[in-house]
Amino acid sequence: MELVTPIQLGLLVLQGQGFVTLISSDGDDRRIVNAARVSFDADLKEHDPDRDKKLINYLIRNDHTSPLEHVTFTFLIECPIFIARQWMRHRTWSYNEVSGRYTEPRMNFYEPREWRQQSVSNKQASAGAIQDESKQDKLRVDYANFLRYAQDLYAEFIDAGVSREMARILLPNSLMTRFYATVDLHNLLRFIQLRDHAHAQQEIREYAIAMRELIQPIVPVAVEAWNTHKGAKNE
Ligand SMILES: Cc1cc2nc3c(=O)[nH]c(=O)nc-3n(C[C@H](O)[C@H](O)[C@H](O)COP(=O)(O)OP(=O)(O)OC[C@H]3O[C@@H](n4cnc5c(N)ncnc54)[C@H](O)[C@@H]3O)c2cc1C
């Protein structure tokens, strides 16, 4: 019998500034097998680990992915708004996010350890840290000053009677946000494939890697099969 499992496993990312927590999951490798085998009325038969593994590999290799949709995960995520914007392009997830209209933000901002330079070959990517340490120091100080100014201005506008929904436009998209996100295994693996990839932004990549680590013990065969047949091509 399968039960909804209450789980609270989290991983810190972005040098401890963000996190992803697995709140709960429903289903595992056996659920995938059962959902696939109902086609030939064999979903209640005894499981054989080797046959189950072969079937899951067959399903993923041949894009018979609907059985994966019967396994679901709910995560609680804290990340900068610019990462949440990338995340929520993935339309097959369900989301609920803290509101800057109902609440005043906690004023946690993502502060990168190093500022990366623009890639020449890939217009949307960065290419390693700026090497000059004195330049890094200046960028860090400038950024800290900017964050302080933005927060002061927000407080000033609120004090002047401006609504929260308007005052928030003064805050940068490095502000941390928090949201619940529920997704099925197929769309989660697709997310990880796209976002743990050399073309994806380093920050969201950390979240994709963390989620793979969190689900691996629950669906080890499916994760391995996905890596084998669909794994990200990181060139
Ligand atoms: C490296 C990278 C760079 C990106 N850069 C940009 C960018 O510059 N600008 C930008 O706007 N976006 C950008 N994106 C976002 C990208 O275009 C996708 O929106 C995002 O990756 C979500 O993928 P998806 O649509 O497959 O996922 P989901 O929205 O979760 O959808 C999963 C699958 O469901 C199906 N589906 C969902 N909705 C529909 C629909 N309405 N119609 C038909 N089929 C649907 C599709 O098969 C889709 O693959 C980027 C993504 C990546 C990974």
Side-chain angles (χ1 to χ4, degrees), residues 86 89-93 124 187 190 194-195 199-201:
Q86 294 182 347
R89 296 306 314 279
H90 296 261
R91 297 156 289 177
T92 43
W93 296 53
Q124 68 177 350
N187 283 296
R190 287 261 311 141
L194 289 169
R195 298 300 182 176
H199 291 172
Q201 182 157 353

Side-chain angles (χ1 to χ4, degrees), residues 29-228:
D29 284 326
R30 282 179 170 219
R31 173 77 60 80
I32 300 168
V33 170
N34 289 343
R37 288 204 177 125
V38 76
S39 308
F40 34 93
D41 198 19
D43 50 311
L44 299 178
K45 283 205 175 139
E46 230 172 80
H47 285 266
D48 170 320
D50 286 341
R51 286 182 57 217
D52 288 359
K53 189 172 177 176
K54 272 189 195 143
L55 177 57
I56 290 175
N57 273 271
Y58 173 85
L59 294 170
I60 291 176
R61 196 171 56 244
N62 294 289
D63 292 325
H64 293 322
T65 45
S66 54
L68 276 63
E69 293 166 23
H70 299 285
V71 180
T72 57
F73 301 93
T74 297
F75 296 98
L76 173 63
I77 292 133
E78 184 157 302
C79 70
I81 286 174
F82 66 90
I83 292 304
R85 285 209 59 188
Q86 294 182 347
W87 205 305
M88 289 178 193
R89 296 306 314 279
H90 296 261
R91 297 156 289 177
T92 43
W93 296 53
S94 301
Y95 302 104
N96 281 94
E97 185 178 14
V98 64
S99 165
R101 300 177 74 201
Y102 277 119
T103 64
E104 286 183 26
R106 289 186 194 167
M107 298 299 177
N108 291 334
F109 298 92
Y110 171 53
E111 298 191 42
R113 280 279 149 76
E114 292 172 320
W115 290 88
R116 303 189 294 272
Q117 59 194 326
Q118 175 59 44
S119 163
V120 180
S121 57
N122 183 339
K123 283 185 183 161
Q124 68 177 350
S126 51
I130 290 173
Q131 289 305 318
D132 182 339
E133 213 24 64
S134 62
K135 208 183 248 182
Q136 284 282 358
D137 286 342
K138 181 172 183 323
L139 293 169
R140 279 186 210 111
V141 170
D142 287 349
Y143 181 54
N145 288 336
F146 164 68
L147 292 183
R148 216 168 298 122
Y149 181 61
Q151 289 174 75
D152 289 348
L153 211 55
Y154 179 89
E156 191 183 312
F157 276 47
I158 291 287
D159 287 348
V162 173
S163 60
R164 289 186 292 267
E165 72 175 7
M166 289 206 73
R168 66 178 171 172
I169 70 179
L170 298 160
L171 301 174
N173 63 15
S174 58
L175 182 68
M176 298 300 279
T177 186
R178 206 156 45 84
F179 59 92
Y180 282 75
T182 297
V183 65
D184 66 63
L185 177 62
H186 179 214
N187 283 296
L188 175 57
L189 290 170
R190 287 261 311 141
F191 178 101
I192 294 169
Q193 184 178 4
L194 289 169
R195 298 300 182 176
D196 175 21
H197 190 281
H199 291 172
Q201 182 157 353
Q202 184 179 305
E203 282 83 0
I204 200 166
R205 207 168 170 179
E206 288 191 30
Y207 287 89
I209 292 168
M211 282 192 295
R212 189 197 286 116
E213 201 172 312
L214 288 170
I215 67 162
Q216 203 278 338
I218 299 165
V219 278
V221 177
V223 168
E224 191 190 356
W226 189 275
N227 289 343
T228 304

